[in-house]
Amino acid sequence: MTCAFAPNGQSVACGGLDSACSIFNLNSQADRDGNIPVSRILTGHKGYVSSCQYVPDQETRLITSSGDQTCVLWDVTTGQRISIFGGEFPSGHTADVLSLSINSSNTNMFVSGSCDATVRLWDIRIASRAVRTYHGHEGDINSVKFFPDGQRFGTGSDDGTCRLFDMRTGHQLQVYSREPDRNDNELPTVTSIAFSISGRLLFAGYSNGDCYVWDTLLAEVVLNLGNLQNSHEGRISCLGLSSDGSALCTGSWDKNLKIWAFSGHRKIV
């Protein structure tokens, strides 16, 4: 369900329905079939692992989110749990946690999005309680991402909207909502989001195969990649931006990954 590179690019973590997070060292010797052996397995979650992310600039620290309603900070070297966020604590999520995002400006802070329709802000130094809870969505929150400035974060939900929240005040700054399809009154759900490097654009993948490029300031759709000739024929399940911001990759249930590149004039080629 999830995978992530370590900051040094030498390891990959992945997790899913086996409730574990597996670490692969890319420098390991592959076996006869070309498979790299697992170097460590992080076990302890009581539900599927929905998301994992290495703490930036820390090769040995990893955070996971899970269907067991918790997030966990791990020491990858020892395989031990350092902290559990939620669970028996009253300020934790009350349903599956689907997504997390670590604040690159302050790596002690991360947000988690859940099927309880809330986002919670956590400080890895204080696991016993959430710093803040953010309300507004009316469905599962499938994707959370910090805005490049680290002061705000975006969300994508089963309610068909993306939203932008102020981390400190808790205020909802913007709602990005589309019109229902002409032939269908139901809104497609938002499965995955990402910001451009400047934060001016928000990329949102939808369950009907659309990928909207939103202007975050004006809350207007700049472009729908789903209308282009080479668009996906199934649900967009994940998307991500290259580290230099020059390309977007979308993954879909149509079994394809597509890379969308930006030219100098910011037009899709």
Side-chain angles (χ1 to χ4, degrees):
M1 296 178 74
T2 179
C3 57
F5 269 107
N8 63 6
Q10 300 302 304
S11 300
V12 168
C14 66
L17 297 175
D18 61 2
S19 305
C21 186
S22 307
I23 312 293
F24 294 87
N25 183 337
L26 301 184
N27 298 318
S28 300
Q29 194 69 38
D31 64 17
R32 283 182 196 161
D33 301 324
N35 296 320
I36 293 176
V38 179
S39 64
R40 187 168 290 288
I41 299 180
L42 309 177
T43 57
H45 277 301
K46 296 181 177 70
Y48 61 87
V49 175
S50 56
S51 185
C52 65
Q53 190 183 344
Y54 280 88
V55 178
D57 309 322
Q58 293 193 41
E59 318 297 332
T60 62
R61 296 282 191 270
L62 175 84
I63 301 176
T64 53
S65 63
S66 169
D68 65 11
Q69 308 184 5
T70 70
C71 298
V72 171
L73 174 67
W74 303 85
D75 183 324
V76 176
T77 318
T78 63
Q80 297 300 305
R81 287 182 285 187
I82 300 170
S83 302
I84 301 174
F85 305 90
E88 67 272 23
F89 297 117
S91 64
H93 284 293
T94 57
D96 303 20
V97 188
L98 299 178
S99 180
L100 71 94
S101 178
I102 302 171
N103 191 336
S104 54
S105 306
N106 175 4
T107 55
N108 286 317
M109 312 300 285
F110 74 95
V111 285
S112 56
S114 165
C115 294
D116 64 13
T118 71
V119 172
R120 288 171 208 246
L121 174 69
W122 303 92
D123 184 329
I124 63 174
R125 298 161 296 190
I126 318 164
S128 57
R129 61 182 171 82
V131 178
R132 189 182 280 279
T133 301
Y134 306 84
H135 300 273
H137 278 294
E138 293 165 18
D140 299 2
I141 296 174
N142 298 316
S143 188
V144 287
K145 280 278 165 56
F146 264 105
F147 197 77
D149 65 5
Q151 304 300 312
R152 296 166 274 180
F153 62 85
T155 54
S157 167
D158 273 0
D159 65 14
T161 69
C162 300
R163 294 168 197 247
L164 188 66
F165 290 89
D166 185 296
M167 180 181 77
R168 289 214 170 91
T169 65
H171 291 151
Q172 189 173 281
L173 303 173
Q174 199 65 272
V175 181
Y176 308 95
S177 66
R178 48 184 288 166
E179 300 299 314
D181 290 353
R182 284 181 296 280
N183 53 359
D184 185 10
N185 289 330
E186 285 209 2
L187 276 177
T189 62
V190 184
T191 63
S192 186
I193 64 166
F195 288 105
S196 63
I197 284 192
S198 68
R200 185 62 195 261
L201 301 178
L202 168 66
F203 305 98
Y206 293 85
S207 54
N208 66 345
D210 284 343
C211 182
Y212 277 25
V213 183
W214 291 93
D215 182 311
T216 53
L217 220 56
L218 305 175
E220 291 174 357
V221 179
V222 179
L223 187 69
N224 175 11
L225 300 179
N227 287 342
L228 300 183
Q229 200 172 358
N230 299 325
S231 63
H232 285 290
E233 290 167 15
R235 174 190 184 98
I236 305 281
S237 50
C238 57
L239 50 82
L241 213 61
S242 63
S243 54
D244 66 354
S246 65
L248 175 81
C249 184
T250 51
S252 164
W253 285 10
D254 66 10
K255 304 180 182 177
N256 289 316
L257 288 168
K258 292 181 187 287
I259 295 173
W260 310 83
F262 302 98
S263 68
H265 298 295
R266 287 296 189 204
K267 286 184 178 157
I268 301 293
V269 295

